[in-house]
Amino acid sequence: MDCYTANWNPLGDSAFYRKYELYSMDWDLKEELRDCLVAAAPYGGPIALLRNPWRKEKAASVRPVLDIYSASGMPLASLLWKSGPVVSLGWSAEEELLCVQEDGAVLVYGLHGDFRRHFSMGNEVLQNRVLDARIFHTEFGSGVAILTGAHRFTLSANVGDLKLRRMPEVPGLQSAPSCWTALCQDRVAHVLLAVGPDLYLLDHAACSAVTPPGLAPGVSSFLQMAVSFTYRHLALFTDTGYIWMGTASLKEKLCEFNCNIRAPPKQMVWCSRPRSKERAVVVAWERRLMVVGDASESIQYKQLTIQVLLDRLVLRRLYPLAIQICEYLRLPEVQGVSRILAHWACYKVQQKDVSDEDVARAINQKLGDTPGVSYSDIAARAYGCGRTELAIKLLEYEPRSGEQVPLLLKMKRSKLALSKAIESGDTDLVFTVLLHLKNELNRGDFFMTLRNQPMALSLYRQFCKHQELETLKDLYNQDDNHQELGSFHIRASYAAEERIEGRVAALQTAADAFYKAKNEFAAKATEDQMRLLRLQRRLEDELGGQFLDLSLHDTVTTLILGGHNKRAEQLARDFRIPDKRLWWLKLTALADLEDWEELEKFSKSKKSPIGYLPFVEICMKQHNKYEAKKYASRVGPEQKVKALLLVGDVAQAADVAIEHRNEAELSLVLSHCTGATDGATADKIQRARAQAQKK
């Protein structure tokens, strides 16, 4: 039994405890921390040390070294610092290391020492240099506050969406403040600073003097200040040795403690007491550590949500552990396993010692058709790492063409992007690629590319018809498409040309193109149109009125209506208008003029090629039964019944139908018999039918 309890120790009268090592501490620092700039990320995150930050006693030729460790001391990255002097280090909420340089440039590194990006805090900071800096956190993201050599403050509340704000000037500030910090109150970032016995709160609009309530008298200077992680509480260390603790709004005092030490501390930070909701302030001097406080505040472990925990595991490349947690918690695939696998794939493409084929195959075997995974995002990461061919191979697994095409265009694989867009059947996507290709290639190469893609060529032609007519002409010329080129010049003659000479010239070009296309009908018709235009211009000059742009038939009709019958007949002969069509035109025009005398003369000029039923119909359309009856008697036998019915002579129509012994004509007449008026006629038809049946 002793062997089972030997490592248990008594705790009070009724409990026992034991200790065992979860993991070992691997710290192996070769220089003292006093020689380093140090930044520790919250929630047990990584720790960054910049060794030899330009200390005067160090040789100028010695380059500083930036080391990144896990919280247990395991090395994560080490790199020589090749940029300018660094004033401050700090970690963002996304565990990115922000390195603030003396010239106001901020360099951003990843957890494993990979350079991400850089940004500047502005020209004023560059000119006056950086004296001090703070990295702080808000609900919007991570911010940077700068104190310049001109003793002015500049800050950005969110480095992810950089918007610089120059804070108001502090009256009478001729040297650096004894201490300062960044606060976030009511969704606004502030700077709190101490100048001698006075405290000032800066926001974007004003500088306000503030006084901590209940502060012990005799304070001539504030030596150190610290704000809690949630920005709810503030601690001040005075030159009298007192530590004042209260709300960050400086409206309420929580407690005050005399530590009997007047030397300024090296560090002062807020922390949580184990298994307690109480908050405390830890104050550190060279060889002394003191914990003070009784400020009640909820422990903020809840801020480290499951998603943040998974993100931190992913940053540390602990993918199997992250997946196990997702499966244990039964998280939805899109939020859990799929997201982890996508991060793994993005890391996999950075392994440049593995061939493109092997990487693409491994990623596809692991991911397959996992929902929520975007192969285009992984391909974009591969392209960002300089592995274009790998990116193309990964895009083959992307089922959405709309995701493939933009990246292919970015990679300058425009012809492949065009093929993918055409395969998708999405015309908007095809147009996007075509416009990109048009700007990227010279005109000849662009047209040659289109010739190899009939669908793209057809779409681009449609676009050019509405937007770029000259380009459309060039396309037809490139393809020797004389038929379409002729049609193009015909449209251009009406759309672009106003002068008759220009229109005729465009039509002549069209006729030449039709001859080249061996389309003689279109060529002859175009030449006829040129003749008609010239004739119409001459008619306008000689007769006045509007003739241009009338059709051939309308031109003839207009001449007849104007009383120029001989000119109309000459025009008909010149353009070989058939007699039937000319008679119809003249008949219609004279009826519209109600020139019945001229119409009768015209009907007797020669035998009508269209018969005389049209004369009856036109007269009745003009409600002139008298004139219509003149022509009804001249209608041929096959249309006689219809003509008589049109003029209302039902009885005579019945006689003709009975004479013809035509059942269809008898039925037609019978359908026009109405009431008692036509009763005798209807009986007559019925008797004729009965006699026909007996025979």
Side-chain angles (χ1 to χ4, degrees):
M1 188 68 179
D2 290 342
C3 63
Y4 293 108
T5 61
N7 61 343
W8 288 85
N9 300 300
L11 181 63
D13 296 330
S14 58
F16 291 83
Y17 75 94
R18 66 175 176 176
K19 295 191 298 182
Y20 55 91
E21 190 177 76
L22 292 174
Y23 56 86
S24 60
M25 301 294 282
D26 298 325
W27 290 101
D28 184 22
L29 296 178
K30 297 177 181 177
E31 295 192 38
E32 295 187 22
L33 291 177
R34 72 180 65 189
D35 295 330
C36 303
L37 285 177
V38 182
Y43 306 116
I47 298 173
L49 290 85
L50 185 59
R51 298 179 181 176
N52 181 29
W54 301 273
R55 293 186 59 183
K56 293 181 181 179
E57 60 270 21
K58 296 288 185 179
S61 61
V62 178
R63 285 188 178 275
V65 179
L66 176 62
D67 292 319
I68 301 176
Y69 297 89
S70 70
S72 62
M74 184 175 68
L76 299 177
S78 180
L79 59 142
L80 284 175
W81 188 261
K82 298 180 180 180
S83 192
V86 176
V87 175
S88 181
L89 301 176
W91 291 93
S92 72
E94 294 79 20
E95 291 196 310
E96 290 183 326
L97 181 62
L98 308 180
C99 307
V100 183
Q101 292 190 158
E102 193 178 59
D103 60 0
V106 181
L107 280 64
V108 184
Y109 288 85
L111 181 69
H112 298 281
D114 51 306
F115 178 75
R116 299 286 178 85
R117 63 188 186 281
H118 76 279
F119 57 89
S120 172
M121 293 299 291
N123 287 329
E124 183 182 352
V125 176
L126 173 62
Q127 293 170 4
N128 296 304
R129 319 304 281 176
V130 177
L131 283 185
D132 199 4
R134 299 282 187 275
I135 312 298
F136 60 96
H137 305 286
T138 72
E139 58 187 291
F140 306 111
S142 300
V144 177
I146 298 289
L147 171 62
T148 71
H151 308 120
R152 297 292 299 270
F153 290 91
T154 296
L155 65 77
S156 172
N158 182 7
V159 297
D161 181 20
L162 193 68
K163 294 178 182 177
L164 299 177
R165 288 195 349 227
R166 185 171 184 251
M167 307 302 278
E169 189 174 0
V170 180
L173 183 61
Q174 300 297 322
S175 60
S178 55
C179 57
W180 67 280
T181 190
L183 300 174
C184 188
Q185 298 177 359
D186 300 326
R187 301 167 63 90
V188 178
H190 299 75
V191 171
L192 179 68
L193 69 147
V195 181
D198 301 318
L199 291 176
Y200 295 95
L201 188 66
L202 307 181
D203 59 21
H204 65 282
C207 171
S208 307
V210 291
T211 303
L215 181 67
V219 175
S220 59
S221 179
F222 295 92
L223 304 181
Q224 186 68 275
M225 61 178 61
V227 64
S228 67
F229 188 76
T230 59
Y231 297 97
R232 296 182 187 176
H233 295 93
L234 177 71
L236 302 170
F237 185 91
T238 69
D239 60 349
T240 60
Y242 275 84
I243 299 173
W244 180 93
M245 298 166 63
T247 59
S249 63
L250 294 169
K251 293 181 179 178
E252 182 182 351
K253 173 183 175 181
L254 299 175
C255 68
E256 193 171 26
F257 177 76
N258 186 358
C259 67
N260 295 316
I261 301 174
R262 298 197 174 192
K266 295 286 185 182
Q267 255 188 312
M268 186 166 72
V269 295
W270 287 80
C271 69
S272 297
R273 296 179 62 186
R275 297 190 180 185
S276 171
K277 292 185 178 181
E278 295 182 351
R279 302 284 283 180
V281 173
V282 179
V283 190
W285 289 267
E286 191 71 34
R287 297 184 179 277
R288 183 176 297 188
L289 195 69
M290 184 179 295
V291 181
V292 182
D294 188 27
S296 177
E297 182 178 318
S298 297
I299 299 174
Q300 296 300 311
Y301 293 142
K302 290 183 179 178
Q303 290 190 8
L304 191 61
T305 62
I306 255 313
Q307 293 299 333
V308 176
L309 173 63
L310 292 174
D311 288 341
R312 294 188 171 225
L313 290 174
V314 165
L315 279 173
R316 289 155 179 78
R317 299 170 185 166
L318 301 174
Y319 305 109
L321 178 57
I323 289 174
Q324 287 179 347
I325 292 174
C326 293
E327 292 172 344
Y328 177 77
L329 296 175
R330 298 179 181 177
L331 295 179
E333 271 194 297
V334 174
Q335 298 175 14
V337 174
S338 296
R339 193 165 65 94
I340 306 302
L341 287 174
H343 280 290
W344 167 81
C346 289
Y347 166 66
K348 190 75 175 173
V349 301
Q350 301 175 47
Q351 298 178 343
K352 297 189 177 181
D353 56 332
V354 185
S355 70
D356 294 342
E357 292 79 5
D358 291 343
V359 172
R361 189 184 310 111
I363 289 175
N364 182 245
Q365 288 175 351
K366 179 74 73 174
L367 270 58
D369 297 326
T370 303
V373 173
S374 170
Y375 279 97
S376 60
D377 289 344
I378 302 167
R381 179 63 65 88
Y383 176 66
C385 296
R387 304 185 70 172
T388 303
E389 294 304 318
L390 173 57
I392 293 173
K393 291 180 184 297
L394 289 169
L395 282 177
E396 292 296 329
Y397 301 120
E398 175 58 63
R400 298 165 297 174
S401 299
E403 298 295 324
Q404 290 178 313
V405 169
L407 183 57
L408 287 169
L409 292 177
K410 185 178 179 182
M411 295 190 297
K412 301 190 183 305
R413 298 301 177 97
S414 305
K415 294 181 181 178
L416 181 57
L418 181 59
S419 298
K420 294 294 183 184
I422 291 171
E423 288 175 12
S424 74
D426 186 338
T427 54
D428 289 340
L429 199 58
V430 176
F431 273 125
T432 299
V433 181
L434 286 175
L435 294 178
H436 184 92
L437 276 170
K438 181 187 172 189
N439 295 328
E440 182 183 78
L441 303 176
N442 62 53
R443 175 164 286 205
D445 291 342
F446 177 55
F447 286 171
M448 287 302 294
T449 301
L450 290 178
R451 289 183 69 177
N452 297 326
Q453 298 285 0
M455 175 188 172
L457 178 58
S458 175
L459 285 173
Y460 190 65
R461 282 175 177 167
Q462 291 298 322
F463 168 77
C464 291
K465 282 181 181 178
H466 296 92
Q467 302 289 336
E468 299 181 4
L469 289 176
E470 283 304 310
T471 303
L472 183 64
K473 183 177 72 173
D474 293 342
L475 275 172
Y476 293 146
N477 275 320
Q478 173 98 359
D479 295 340
D480 291 332
N481 191 339
H482 300 296
Q483 176 65 36
E484 289 294 342
L485 202 56
S487 300
F488 171 84
H489 285 296
I490 285 179
R491 287 192 295 270
S493 72
Y494 287 92
E497 291 289 347
E498 294 184 1
R499 297 178 302 109
I500 186 68
E501 296 80 4
R503 292 171 64 179
V504 169
L507 288 172
Q508 182 61 61
T509 305
D512 295 341
F514 287 135
Y515 277 122
K516 290 179 182 178
K518 295 182 169 39
N519 188 342
E520 290 197 13
F521 172 79
K524 294 291 185 185
T526 305
E527 289 175 341
D528 285 346
Q529 180 63 18
M530 293 161 56
R531 284 197 301 133
L532 180 62
L533 279 175
R534 293 191 185 102
L535 177 63
Q536 288 173 335
R537 167 54 63 85
R538 192 162 63 249
L539 289 173
E540 285 189 354
D541 292 342
E542 295 175 2
L543 304 178
Q546 179 68 40
F547 286 93
L548 271 177
D549 292 329
L550 294 178
S551 68
L552 177 60
H553 290 177
D554 288 346
T555 304
V556 172
T557 300
T558 303
L559 286 170
I560 295 170
L561 291 173
H564 308 290
N565 293 310
K566 289 185 178 180
R567 289 223 183 203
E569 291 169 1
Q570 183 61 47
L571 181 61
R573 286 192 295 272
D574 290 344
F575 284 88
R576 297 186 181 90
I577 297 178
D579 271 357
K580 284 187 177 182
R581 193 174 304 166
L582 179 61
W583 272 66
W584 268 108
L585 292 173
K586 197 164 185 178
L587 167 62
T588 305
L590 292 173
D592 287 342
L593 288 172
E594 297 186 356
D595 191 345
W596 308 115
E597 184 179 349
E598 185 64 31
L599 181 61
E600 188 174 1
K601 288 180 182 178
F602 172 58
S603 70
K604 294 177 180 178
S605 60
K606 67 176 184 178
K607 184 179 179 181
S608 171
I610 60 174
Y612 293 96
L613 180 63
F615 285 78
V616 177
E617 292 172 334
I618 287 291
C619 291
M620 290 303 297
K621 186 177 179 181
Q622 296 291 335
H623 309 290
N624 194 330
K625 186 183 289 188
Y626 175 78
E627 292 294 331
K629 285 183 176 181
K630 292 180 181 179
Y631 304 106
S633 60
R634 300 169 65 183
V635 174
E638 67 278 0
Q639 294 179 322
K640 192 80 169 182
V641 170
K642 186 176 181 182
L644 291 170
L645 289 174
L646 281 172
V647 298
D649 195 342
V650 178
Q652 191 176 351
D655 292 341
V656 174
I658 292 170
E659 183 183 343
H660 289 169
R661 299 178 181 179
N662 187 312
E663 179 61 30
E665 289 182 346
L666 289 171
S667 297
L668 180 62
V669 176
L670 195 59
S671 67
H672 281 72
C673 294
T674 57
T677 308
D678 301 318
T681 303
D683 291 341
K684 188 177 182 181
I685 292 173
Q686 294 295 357
R687 288 195 299 271
R689 277 181 168 177
Q691 289 176 1
Q693 288 174 356
K694 288 179 182 180
K695 293 180 181 179

